[in-house]
Every structure is written in C-alpha cells, then in structure tokens.
PDB file of all heavy atoms in Angstrom:
ATOM      1  N   ASN A   1     -14.103  19.178   7.979  1.00 95.00           N
ATOM      2  CA  ASN A   1     -12.702  19.018   8.255  1.00 95.00           C
ATOM      3  C   ASN A   1     -12.529  17.615   8.813  1.00 95.00           C
ATOM      4  O   ASN A   1     -11.363  17.032   8.908  1.00 95.00           O
ATOM      5  CB  ASN A   1     -12.215  19.970   9.228  1.00 95.00           C
ATOM      6  CG  ASN A   1     -12.102  21.353   8.516  1.00 95.00           C
ATOM      7  OD1 ASN A   1     -12.264  21.421   7.248  1.00 95.00           O
ATOM      8  ND2 ASN A   1     -11.809  22.420   9.309  1.00 95.00           N
ATOM      9  N   ALA A   2     -13.414  16.937   9.449  1.00 94.00           N
ATOM     10  CA  ALA A   2     -13.384  15.631  10.049  1.00 94.00           C
ATOM     11  C   ALA A   2     -12.968  14.709   8.979  1.00 94.00           C
ATOM     12  O   ALA A   2     -12.338  13.626   9.362  1.00 94.00           O
ATOM     13  CB  ALA A   2     -14.686  15.242  10.583  1.00 94.00           C
ATOM     14  N   GLY A   3     -13.356  14.824   7.743  1.00 95.00           N
ATOM     15  CA  GLY A   3     -12.862  13.986   6.686  1.00 95.00           C
ATOM     16  C   GLY A   3     -11.574  14.385   5.977  1.00 95.00           C
ATOM     17  O   GLY A   3     -10.590  13.592   5.796  1.00 95.00           O
ATOM     18  N   PHE A   4     -11.490  15.805   5.792  1.00 96.00           N
ATOM     19  CA  PHE A   4     -10.402  16.348   5.013  1.00 96.00           C
ATOM     20  C   PHE A   4      -8.999  16.186   5.785  1.00 96.00           C
ATOM     21  O   PHE A   4      -7.983  16.016   5.199  1.00 96.00           O
ATOM     22  CB  PHE A   4     -10.577  17.823   4.682  1.00 96.00           C
ATOM     23  CG  PHE A   4     -11.704  17.992   3.626  1.00 96.00           C
ATOM     24  CD1 PHE A   4     -12.512  19.175   3.783  1.00 96.00           C
ATOM     25  CD2 PHE A   4     -11.879  17.067   2.640  1.00 96.00           C
ATOM     26  CE1 PHE A   4     -13.477  19.321   2.837  1.00 96.00           C
ATOM     27  CE2 PHE A   4     -12.837  17.391   1.668  1.00 96.00           C
ATOM     28  CZ  PHE A   4     -13.693  18.508   1.747  1.00 96.00           C
ATOM     29  N   VAL A   5      -9.080  16.207   7.145  1.00 95.00           N
ATOM     30  CA  VAL A   5      -7.838  16.217   7.835  1.00 95.00           C
ATOM     31  C   VAL A   5      -7.023  14.925   7.741  1.00 95.00           C
ATOM     32  O   VAL A   5      -5.777  15.074   7.746  1.00 95.00           O
ATOM     33  CB  VAL A   5      -8.165  16.500   9.367  1.00 95.00           C
ATOM     34  CG1 VAL A   5      -8.890  15.210   9.953  1.00 95.00           C
ATOM     35  CG2 VAL A   5      -6.845  16.743  10.204  1.00 95.00           C
ATOM     36  N   TRP A   6      -7.569  13.842   7.428  1.00 96.00           N
ATOM     37  CA  TRP A   6      -6.852  12.536   7.261  1.00 96.00           C
ATOM     38  C   TRP A   6      -5.977  12.657   6.025  1.00 96.00           C
ATOM     39  O   TRP A   6      -5.035  11.833   5.885  1.00 96.00           O
ATOM     40  CB  TRP A   6      -7.778  11.418   7.272  1.00 96.00           C
ATOM     41  CG  TRP A   6      -8.532  11.429   8.540  1.00 96.00           C
ATOM     42  CD1 TRP A   6      -9.917  11.687   8.679  1.00 96.00           C
ATOM     43  CD2 TRP A   6      -8.031  11.477  10.009  1.00 96.00           C
ATOM     44  NE1 TRP A   6     -10.231  11.618   9.929  1.00 96.00           N
ATOM     45  CE2 TRP A   6      -9.207  11.519  10.790  1.00 96.00           C
ATOM     46  CE3 TRP A   6      -6.739  11.282  10.595  1.00 96.00           C
ATOM     47  CZ2 TRP A   6      -9.059  11.553  12.165  1.00 96.00           C
ATOM     48  CZ3 TRP A   6      -6.628  11.330  11.784  1.00 96.00           C
ATOM     49  CH2 TRP A   6      -7.727  11.380  12.673  1.00 96.00           C
ATOM     50  N   LEU A   7      -6.374  13.506   5.017  1.00 95.00           N
ATOM     51  CA  LEU A   7      -5.634  13.568   3.820  1.00 95.00           C
ATOM     52  C   LEU A   7      -4.172  14.048   4.037  1.00 95.00           C
ATOM     53  O   LEU A   7      -3.179  13.726   3.394  1.00 95.00           O
ATOM     54  CB  LEU A   7      -6.263  14.454   2.794  1.00 95.00           C
ATOM     55  CG  LEU A   7      -7.736  14.058   2.360  1.00 95.00           C
ATOM     56  CD1 LEU A   7      -8.269  15.002   1.406  1.00 95.00           C
ATOM     57  CD2 LEU A   7      -7.658  12.650   1.632  1.00 95.00           C
ATOM     58  N   VAL A   8      -4.069  14.911   5.122  1.00 95.00           N
ATOM     59  CA  VAL A   8      -2.665  15.466   5.396  1.00 95.00           C
ATOM     60  C   VAL A   8      -1.787  14.354   5.804  1.00 95.00           C
ATOM     61  O   VAL A   8      -0.510  14.371   5.582  1.00 95.00           O
ATOM     62  CB  VAL A   8      -2.761  16.504   6.630  1.00 95.00           C
ATOM     63  CG1 VAL A   8      -1.519  17.076   6.956  1.00 95.00           C
ATOM     64  CG2 VAL A   8      -3.797  17.516   6.103  1.00 95.00           C
ATOM     65  N   LEU A   9      -2.243  13.287   6.397  1.00 94.00           N
ATOM     66  CA  LEU A   9      -1.358  12.158   6.847  1.00 94.00           C
ATOM     67  C   LEU A   9      -1.439  11.055   5.794  1.00 94.00           C
ATOM     68  O   LEU A   9      -0.294  10.406   5.535  1.00 94.00           O
ATOM     69  CB  LEU A   9      -1.978  11.597   8.122  1.00 94.00           C
ATOM     70  CG  LEU A   9      -2.026  12.452   9.345  1.00 94.00           C
ATOM     71  CD1 LEU A   9      -2.760  11.848  10.517  1.00 94.00           C
ATOM     72  CD2 LEU A   9      -0.629  12.864   9.673  1.00 94.00           C
ATOM     73  N   LEU A  10      -2.472  10.743   5.090  1.00 96.00           N
ATOM     74  CA  LEU A  10      -2.482   9.585   4.292  1.00 96.00           C
ATOM     75  C   LEU A  10      -1.746   9.739   2.917  1.00 96.00           C
ATOM     76  O   LEU A  10      -1.128   8.783   2.525  1.00 96.00           O
ATOM     77  CB  LEU A  10      -3.962   9.276   3.873  1.00 96.00           C
ATOM     78  CG  LEU A  10      -4.906   8.755   4.853  1.00 96.00           C
ATOM     79  CD1 LEU A  10      -6.362   8.872   4.417  1.00 96.00           C
ATOM     80  CD2 LEU A  10      -4.502   7.397   5.217  1.00 96.00           C
ATOM     81  N   VAL A  11      -1.630  10.901   2.381  1.00 94.00           N
ATOM     82  CA  VAL A  11      -0.996  11.165   1.166  1.00 94.00           C
ATOM     83  C   VAL A  11       0.626  10.931   1.405  1.00 94.00           C
ATOM     84  O   VAL A  11       1.250  10.101   0.745  1.00 94.00           O
ATOM     85  CB  VAL A  11      -1.138  12.499   0.642  1.00 94.00           C
ATOM     86  CG1 VAL A  11      -0.130  12.814  -0.632  1.00 94.00           C
ATOM     87  CG2 VAL A  11      -2.599  12.584   0.042  1.00 94.00           C
ATOM     88  N   PRO A  12       1.332  11.432   2.430  1.00 95.00           N
ATOM     89  CA  PRO A  12       2.646  11.096   2.583  1.00 95.00           C
ATOM     90  C   PRO A  12       2.939   9.672   3.109  1.00 95.00           C
ATOM     91  O   PRO A  12       3.920   9.113   2.697  1.00 95.00           O
ATOM     92  CB  PRO A  12       3.027  12.121   3.767  1.00 95.00           C
ATOM     93  CG  PRO A  12       1.886  12.670   4.338  1.00 95.00           C
ATOM     94  CD  PRO A  12       0.870  12.605   3.274  1.00 95.00           C
ATOM     95  N   LEU A  13       2.042   9.127   3.786  1.00 94.00           N
ATOM     96  CA  LEU A  13       2.115   7.759   4.276  1.00 94.00           C
ATOM     97  C   LEU A  13       2.149   6.772   3.089  1.00 94.00           C
ATOM     98  O   LEU A  13       2.847   5.776   3.060  1.00 94.00           O
ATOM     99  CB  LEU A  13       1.019   7.366   5.209  1.00 94.00           C
ATOM    100  CG  LEU A  13       1.375   7.736   6.680  1.00 94.00           C
ATOM    101  CD1 LEU A  13       0.015   7.452   7.591  1.00 94.00           C
ATOM    102  CD2 LEU A  13       2.436   6.966   7.335  1.00 94.00           C
ATOM    103  N   ALA A  14       1.250   7.120   2.096  1.00 91.00           N
ATOM    104  CA  ALA A  14       1.271   6.181   0.939  1.00 91.00           C
ATOM    105  C   ALA A  14       2.584   6.259   0.191  1.00 91.00           C
ATOM    106  O   ALA A  14       3.056   5.279  -0.214  1.00 91.00           O
ATOM    107  CB  ALA A  14       0.186   6.718  -0.021  1.00 91.00           C
ATOM    108  N   LEU A  15       3.288   7.464   0.075  1.00 91.00           N
ATOM    109  CA  LEU A  15       4.539   7.544  -0.540  1.00 91.00           C
ATOM    110  C   LEU A  15       5.676   6.793   0.335  1.00 91.00           C
ATOM    111  O   LEU A  15       6.382   6.052  -0.201  1.00 91.00           O
ATOM    112  CB  LEU A  15       4.991   8.988  -0.635  1.00 91.00           C
ATOM    113  CG  LEU A  15       4.039   9.782  -1.656  1.00 91.00           C
ATOM    114  CD1 LEU A  15       4.496  11.238  -1.580  1.00 91.00           C
ATOM    115  CD2 LEU A  15       4.411   9.282  -3.044  1.00 91.00           C
ATOM    116  N   ILE A  16       5.673   6.901   1.690  1.00 94.00           N
ATOM    117  CA  ILE A  16       6.621   6.238   2.450  1.00 94.00           C
ATOM    118  C   ILE A  16       6.499   4.713   2.472  1.00 94.00           C
ATOM    119  O   ILE A  16       7.402   3.965   2.295  1.00 94.00           O
ATOM    120  CB  ILE A  16       6.427   6.767   3.935  1.00 94.00           C
ATOM    121  CG1 ILE A  16       6.792   8.278   4.076  1.00 94.00           C
ATOM    122  CG2 ILE A  16       7.259   5.964   4.800  1.00 94.00           C
ATOM    123  CD1 ILE A  16       6.424   8.805   5.360  1.00 94.00           C
ATOM    124  N   GLY A  17       5.301   4.338   2.408  1.00 93.00           N
ATOM    125  CA  GLY A  17       4.981   2.877   2.349  1.00 93.00           C
ATOM    126  C   GLY A  17       5.390   2.269   1.037  1.00 93.00           C
ATOM    127  O   GLY A  17       5.950   1.233   0.981  1.00 93.00           O
ATOM    128  N   TRP A  18       5.167   3.037  -0.086  1.00 93.00           N
ATOM    129  CA  TRP A  18       5.608   2.398  -1.356  1.00 93.00           C
ATOM    130  C   TRP A  18       7.162   2.198  -1.347  1.00 93.00           C
ATOM    131  O   TRP A  18       7.552   1.263  -1.950  1.00 93.00           O
ATOM    132  CB  TRP A  18       5.241   3.503  -2.376  1.00 93.00           C
ATOM    133  CG  TRP A  18       5.657   3.098  -3.785  1.00 93.00           C
ATOM    134  CD1 TRP A  18       6.784   3.565  -4.485  1.00 93.00           C
ATOM    135  CD2 TRP A  18       4.918   2.106  -4.728  1.00 93.00           C
ATOM    136  NE1 TRP A  18       6.809   2.844  -5.729  1.00 93.00           N
ATOM    137  CE2 TRP A  18       5.728   2.066  -5.974  1.00 93.00           C
ATOM    138  CE3 TRP A  18       3.879   1.356  -4.583  1.00 93.00           C
ATOM    139  CZ2 TRP A  18       5.305   1.267  -6.903  1.00 93.00           C
ATOM    140  CZ3 TRP A  18       3.403   0.555  -5.567  1.00 93.00           C
ATOM    141  CH2 TRP A  18       4.235   0.475  -6.772  1.00 93.00           C
ATOM    142  N   PHE A  19       7.912   3.159  -0.824  1.00 92.00           N
ATOM    143  CA  PHE A  19       9.358   3.049  -0.931  1.00 92.00           C
ATOM    144  C   PHE A  19      10.031   2.356   0.271  1.00 92.00           C
ATOM    145  O   PHE A  19      11.174   1.919   0.122  1.00 92.00           O
ATOM    146  CB  PHE A  19       9.955   4.476  -0.963  1.00 92.00           C
ATOM    147  CG  PHE A  19       9.699   5.096  -2.337  1.00 92.00           C
ATOM    148  CD1 PHE A  19       8.794   6.164  -2.355  1.00 92.00           C
ATOM    149  CD2 PHE A  19      10.305   4.706  -3.463  1.00 92.00           C
ATOM    150  CE1 PHE A  19       8.478   6.761  -3.570  1.00 92.00           C
ATOM    151  CE2 PHE A  19      10.006   5.271  -4.686  1.00 92.00           C
ATOM    152  CZ  PHE A  19       9.137   6.450  -4.804  1.00 92.00           C
ATOM    153  N   GLY A  20       9.326   2.194   1.438  1.00 93.00           N
ATOM    154  CA  GLY A  20       9.949   1.645   2.565  1.00 93.00           C
ATOM    155  C   GLY A  20       9.478   0.297   3.048  1.00 93.00           C
ATOM    156  O   GLY A  20      10.292  -0.365   3.736  1.00 93.00           O
ATOM    157  N   LEU A  21       8.405  -0.347   2.580  1.00 94.00           N
ATOM    158  CA  LEU A  21       7.942  -1.492   2.917  1.00 94.00           C
ATOM    159  C   LEU A  21       8.419  -2.694   2.142  1.00 94.00           C
ATOM    160  O   LEU A  21       9.028  -2.431   0.975  1.00 94.00           O
ATOM    161  CB  LEU A  21       6.309  -1.701   2.884  1.00 94.00           C
ATOM    162  CG  LEU A  21       5.622  -0.686   3.911  1.00 94.00           C
ATOM    163  CD1 LEU A  21       4.121  -0.670   3.552  1.00 94.00           C
ATOM    164  CD2 LEU A  21       5.791  -1.279   5.394  1.00 94.00           C
ATOM    165  N   ASN A  22       8.387  -4.025   2.553  1.00 94.00           N
ATOM    166  CA  ASN A  22       8.962  -5.077   1.884  1.00 94.00           C
ATOM    167  C   ASN A  22       7.850  -6.235   1.818  1.00 94.00           C
ATOM    168  O   ASN A  22       7.010  -6.411   2.597  1.00 94.00           O
ATOM    169  CB  ASN A  22      10.193  -5.615   2.659  1.00 94.00           C
ATOM    170  CG  ASN A  22      11.311  -4.524   2.710  1.00 94.00           C
ATOM    171  OD1 ASN A  22      11.437  -3.992   3.788  1.00 94.00           O
ATOM    172  ND2 ASN A  22      11.991  -4.363   1.675  1.00 94.00           N
ATOM    173  N   ASN A  23       8.114  -7.004   0.714  1.00 94.00           N
ATOM    174  CA  ASN A  23       7.539  -8.274   0.506  1.00 94.00           C
ATOM    175  C   ASN A  23       8.537  -9.357   0.877  1.00 94.00           C
ATOM    176  O   ASN A  23       9.632  -9.241   0.492  1.00 94.00           O
ATOM    177  CB  ASN A  23       7.036  -8.535  -0.954  1.00 94.00           C
ATOM    178  CG  ASN A  23       6.072  -7.539  -1.416  1.00 94.00           C
ATOM    179  OD1 ASN A  23       5.037  -7.203  -0.722  1.00 94.00           O
ATOM    180  ND2 ASN A  23       6.226  -7.051  -2.601  1.00 94.00           N
ATOM    181  N   LEU A  24       7.994 -10.309   1.778  1.00 93.00           N
ATOM    182  CA  LEU A  24       8.854 -11.415   2.106  1.00 93.00           C
ATOM    183  C   LEU A  24       8.597 -12.674   1.156  1.00 93.00           C
ATOM    184  O   LEU A  24       7.463 -13.190   1.301  1.00 93.00           O
ATOM    185  CB  LEU A  24       8.703 -11.799   3.567  1.00 93.00           C
ATOM    186  CG  LEU A  24       9.034 -10.777   4.667  1.00 93.00           C
ATOM    187  CD1 LEU A  24       8.709 -11.347   5.969  1.00 93.00           C
ATOM    188  CD2 LEU A  24      10.414 -10.300   4.521  1.00 93.00           C
ATOM    189  N   LYS A  25       9.496 -12.988   0.214  1.00 91.00           N
ATOM    190  CA  LYS A  25       9.254 -14.016  -0.624  1.00 91.00           C
ATOM    191  C   LYS A  25       9.191 -15.428  -0.059  1.00 91.00           C
ATOM    192  O   LYS A  25       8.603 -16.306  -0.468  1.00 91.00           O
ATOM    193  CB  LYS A  25      10.312 -14.083  -1.788  1.00 91.00           C
ATOM    194  CG  LYS A  25      10.451 -12.751  -2.601  1.00 91.00           C
ATOM    195  CD  LYS A  25       9.145 -12.496  -3.431  1.00 91.00           C
ATOM    196  CE  LYS A  25       9.002 -13.441  -4.562  1.00 91.00           C
ATOM    197  NZ  LYS A  25       7.912 -13.072  -5.416  1.00 91.00           N
ATOM    198  N   THR A  26       9.758 -15.587   1.181  1.00 89.00           N
ATOM    199  CA  THR A  26       9.633 -16.653   1.950  1.00 89.00           C
ATOM    200  C   THR A  26       8.141 -16.950   2.500  1.00 89.00           C
ATOM    201  O   THR A  26       7.763 -18.134   2.674  1.00 89.00           O
ATOM    202  CB  THR A  26      10.644 -16.762   3.074  1.00 89.00           C
ATOM    203  OG1 THR A  26      10.386 -15.589   3.893  1.00 89.00           O
ATOM    204  CG2 THR A  26      12.037 -16.785   2.619  1.00 89.00           C
ATOM    205  N   VAL A  27       7.451 -15.976   2.537  1.00 86.00           N
ATOM    206  CA  VAL A  27       6.073 -15.918   2.970  1.00 86.00           C
ATOM    207  C   VAL A  27       5.112 -15.855   1.910  1.00 86.00           C
ATOM    208  O   VAL A  27       4.108 -16.600   1.848  1.00 86.00           O
ATOM    209  CB  VAL A  27       5.777 -14.739   3.959  1.00 86.00           C
ATOM    210  CG1 VAL A  27       4.315 -14.700   4.511  1.00 86.00           C
ATOM    211  CG2 VAL A  27       6.726 -14.832   5.252  1.00 86.00           C
ATOM    212  N   SER A  28       5.485 -15.147   0.872  1.00 87.00           N
ATOM    213  CA  SER A  28       4.556 -14.851  -0.288  1.00 87.00           C
ATOM    214  C   SER A  28       5.403 -15.123  -1.589  1.00 87.00           C
ATOM    215  O   SER A  28       5.792 -14.199  -2.308  1.00 87.00           O
ATOM    216  CB  SER A  28       4.125 -13.366  -0.344  1.00 87.00           C
ATOM    217  OG  SER A  28       3.637 -12.910   1.023  1.00 87.00           O
ATOM    218  N   PRO A  29       5.632 -16.396  -1.887  1.00 86.00           N
ATOM    219  CA  PRO A  29       6.446 -16.703  -2.981  1.00 86.00           C
ATOM    220  C   PRO A  29       5.906 -16.608  -4.330  1.00 86.00           C
ATOM    221  O   PRO A  29       6.580 -16.571  -5.371  1.00 86.00           O
ATOM    222  CB  PRO A  29       6.751 -18.280  -2.764  1.00 86.00           C
ATOM    223  CG  PRO A  29       5.556 -18.770  -1.977  1.00 86.00           C
ATOM    224  CD  PRO A  29       5.109 -17.631  -1.163  1.00 86.00           C
ATOM    225  N   ASN A  30       4.488 -16.505  -4.328  1.00 83.00           N
ATOM    226  CA  ASN A  30       3.898 -16.502  -5.822  1.00 83.00           C
ATOM    227  C   ASN A  30       2.880 -15.364  -5.895  1.00 83.00           C
ATOM    228  O   ASN A  30       1.780 -15.449  -6.390  1.00 83.00           O
ATOM    229  CB  ASN A  30       3.020 -17.841  -5.960  1.00 83.00           C
ATOM    230  CG  ASN A  30       3.882 -19.020  -5.814  1.00 83.00           C
ATOM    231  OD1 ASN A  30       4.909 -19.266  -6.388  1.00 83.00           O
ATOM    232  ND2 ASN A  30       3.392 -19.981  -4.881  1.00 83.00           N
ATOM    233  N   ILE A  31       3.430 -14.239  -5.628  1.00 86.00           N
ATOM    234  CA  ILE A  31       2.604 -12.919  -5.727  1.00 86.00           C
ATOM    235  C   ILE A  31       2.478 -12.436  -7.147  1.00 86.00           C
ATOM    236  O   ILE A  31       1.510 -11.618  -7.479  1.00 86.00           O
ATOM    237  CB  ILE A  31       3.062 -11.894  -4.696  1.00 86.00           C
ATOM    238  CG1 ILE A  31       4.481 -11.427  -4.910  1.00 86.00           C
ATOM    239  CG2 ILE A  31       2.851 -12.286  -3.214  1.00 86.00           C
ATOM    240  CD1 ILE A  31       4.920 -10.386  -4.086  1.00 86.00           C
ATOM    241  N   GLY A  32       3.335 -12.776  -8.063  1.00 84.00           N
ATOM    242  CA  GLY A  32       3.374 -12.215  -9.349  1.00 84.00           C
ATOM    243  C   GLY A  32       3.833 -10.786  -9.357  1.00 84.00           C
ATOM    244  O   GLY A  32       4.507 -10.341  -8.502  1.00 84.00           O
ATOM    245  N   SER A  33       3.302 -10.087 -10.365  1.00 89.00           N
ATOM    246  CA  SER A  33       3.669  -8.592 -10.411  1.00 89.00           C
ATOM    247  C   SER A  33       2.933  -7.866  -9.414  1.00 89.00           C
ATOM    248  O   SER A  33       2.026  -8.225  -8.901  1.00 89.00           O
ATOM    249  CB  SER A  33       3.317  -8.130 -11.935  1.00 89.00           C
ATOM    250  OG  SER A  33       1.891  -8.194 -12.001  1.00 89.00           O
ATOM    251  N   THR A  34       3.384  -6.569  -9.223  1.00 89.00           N
ATOM    252  CA  THR A  34       2.912  -5.637  -8.322  1.00 89.00           C
ATOM    253  C   THR A  34       1.367  -5.412  -8.738  1.00 89.00           C
ATOM    254  O   THR A  34       0.422  -5.379  -7.915  1.00 89.00           O
ATOM    255  CB  THR A  34       3.619  -4.387  -8.181  1.00 89.00           C
ATOM    256  OG1 THR A  34       4.943  -4.697  -7.717  1.00 89.00           O
ATOM    257  CG2 THR A  34       2.952  -3.366  -7.200  1.00 89.00           C
ATOM    258  N   GLY A  35       1.212  -5.198 -10.067  1.00 91.00           N
ATOM    259  CA  GLY A  35      -0.130  -4.845 -10.555  1.00 91.00           C
ATOM    260  C   GLY A  35      -1.052  -5.955 -10.259  1.00 91.00           C
ATOM    261  O   GLY A  35      -2.311  -5.640  -9.841  1.00 91.00           O
ATOM    262  N   ALA A  36      -0.657  -7.200 -10.578  1.00 90.00           N
ATOM    263  CA  ALA A  36      -1.479  -8.372 -10.390  1.00 90.00           C
ATOM    264  C   ALA A  36      -1.853  -8.557  -8.957  1.00 90.00           C
ATOM    265  O   ALA A  36      -3.025  -8.927  -8.611  1.00 90.00           O
ATOM    266  CB  ALA A  36      -0.829  -9.568 -10.920  1.00 90.00           C
ATOM    267  N   ALA A  37      -0.904  -8.374  -7.940  1.00 91.00           N
ATOM    268  CA  ALA A  37      -1.090  -8.499  -6.558  1.00 91.00           C
ATOM    269  C   ALA A  37      -2.187  -7.430  -6.120  1.00 91.00           C
ATOM    270  O   ALA A  37      -3.011  -7.789  -5.322  1.00 91.00           O
ATOM    271  CB  ALA A  37       0.206  -8.377  -5.836  1.00 91.00           C
ATOM    272  N   MET A  38      -2.034  -6.245  -6.596  1.00 92.00           N
ATOM    273  CA  MET A  38      -2.974  -5.188  -6.157  1.00 92.00           C
ATOM    274  C   MET A  38      -4.325  -5.393  -6.744  1.00 92.00           C
ATOM    275  O   MET A  38      -5.330  -5.162  -6.088  1.00 92.00           O
ATOM    276  CB  MET A  38      -2.498  -3.883  -6.565  1.00 92.00           C
ATOM    277  CG  MET A  38      -1.201  -3.429  -5.799  1.00 92.00           C
ATOM    278  SD  MET A  38      -0.571  -1.772  -6.252  1.00 92.00           S
ATOM    279  CE  MET A  38       0.835  -1.684  -5.153  1.00 92.00           C
ATOM    280  N   GLY A  39      -4.492  -6.064  -7.805  1.00 93.00           N
ATOM    281  CA  GLY A  39      -5.681  -6.479  -8.470  1.00 93.00           C
ATOM    282  C   GLY A  39      -6.383  -7.507  -7.596  1.00 93.00           C
ATOM    283  O   GLY A  39      -7.654  -7.374  -7.468  1.00 93.00           O
ATOM    284  N   LYS A  40      -5.639  -8.377  -6.957  1.00 92.00           N
ATOM    285  CA  LYS A  40      -6.332  -9.322  -6.107  1.00 92.00           C
ATOM    286  C   LYS A  40      -6.901  -8.738  -4.823  1.00 92.00           C
ATOM    287  O   LYS A  40      -7.977  -9.058  -4.439  1.00 92.00           O
ATOM    288  CB  LYS A  40      -5.244 -10.427  -5.759  1.00 92.00           C
ATOM    289  CG  LYS A  40      -4.590 -11.163  -6.771  1.00 92.00           C
ATOM    290  CD  LYS A  40      -3.464 -12.170  -6.363  1.00 92.00           C
ATOM    291  CE  LYS A  40      -2.792 -12.702  -7.477  1.00 92.00           C
ATOM    292  NZ  LYS A  40      -1.525 -13.479  -7.019  1.00 92.00           N
ATOM    293  N   VAL A  41      -6.087  -7.681  -4.350  1.00 93.00           N
ATOM    294  CA  VAL A  41      -6.624  -7.020  -3.232  1.00 93.00           C
ATOM    295  C   VAL A  41      -7.989  -6.308  -3.474  1.00 93.00           C
ATOM    296  O   VAL A  41      -8.873  -6.334  -2.736  1.00 93.00           O
ATOM    297  CB  VAL A  41      -5.596  -5.904  -2.639  1.00 93.00           C
ATOM    298  CG1 VAL A  41      -6.164  -5.040  -1.573  1.00 93.00           C
ATOM    299  CG2 VAL A  41      -4.380  -6.731  -2.062  1.00 93.00           C
ATOM    300  N   LEU A  42      -7.998  -5.495  -4.625  1.00 95.00           N
ATOM    301  CA  LEU A  42      -9.104  -4.801  -5.051  1.00 95.00           C
ATOM    302  C   LEU A  42     -10.344  -5.764  -5.247  1.00 95.00           C
ATOM    303  O   LEU A  42     -11.372  -5.311  -4.855  1.00 95.00           O
ATOM    304  CB  LEU A  42      -8.885  -3.946  -6.213  1.00 95.00           C
ATOM    305  CG  LEU A  42      -7.859  -2.803  -5.992  1.00 95.00           C
ATOM    306  CD1 LEU A  42      -7.502  -2.134  -7.365  1.00 95.00           C
ATOM    307  CD2 LEU A  42      -8.322  -1.799  -5.030  1.00 95.00           C
ATOM    308  N   THR A  43     -10.127  -6.917  -5.944  1.00 94.00           N
ATOM    309  CA  THR A  43     -11.202  -7.801  -6.222  1.00 94.00           C
ATOM    310  C   THR A  43     -11.870  -8.300  -4.884  1.00 94.00           C
ATOM    311  O   THR A  43     -13.066  -8.397  -4.779  1.00 94.00           O
ATOM    312  CB  THR A  43     -10.677  -8.961  -7.039  1.00 94.00           C
ATOM    313  OG1 THR A  43     -10.182  -8.373  -8.428  1.00 94.00           O
ATOM    314  CG2 THR A  43     -11.760  -9.920  -7.439  1.00 94.00           C
ATOM    315  N   LEU A  44     -10.938  -8.727  -4.038  1.00 93.00           N
ATOM    316  CA  LEU A  44     -11.481  -9.371  -2.806  1.00 93.00           C
ATOM    317  C   LEU A  44     -12.061  -8.449  -1.819  1.00 93.00           C
ATOM    318  O   LEU A  44     -13.117  -8.746  -1.205  1.00 93.00           O
ATOM    319  CB  LEU A  44     -10.317 -10.155  -2.149  1.00 93.00           C
ATOM    320  CG  LEU A  44      -9.865 -11.378  -2.964  1.00 93.00           C
ATOM    321  CD1 LEU A  44      -8.725 -12.149  -2.195  1.00 93.00           C
ATOM    322  CD2 LEU A  44     -10.955 -12.385  -3.228  1.00 93.00           C
TER     323      LEU A  44
END
C-alpha cells in the first residue's frame, strides 16, 4: 500500500493540472505543440 496509496492523489491531480495550469508565452515563446513539448521532457 506504500506505493498504491499515491495513485489516489496522482490520478485526479493529473486531470486538474491538465485543465488548470498555464504556459506563459512571454517566458516560453517557442514551445511548439503540446505533444512536441512533452516529447522534449521525456527525452531529456
């Protein structure tokens, strides 16, 4: 349960983050598409 318990929090947090967070174009002007940006995260 030490591992499983975090799923109760992580799944809803992932949904909330997807709909509630923002990208600031003044800070990140050249991020491209969402898929491309996430590909950079996974690669690095």
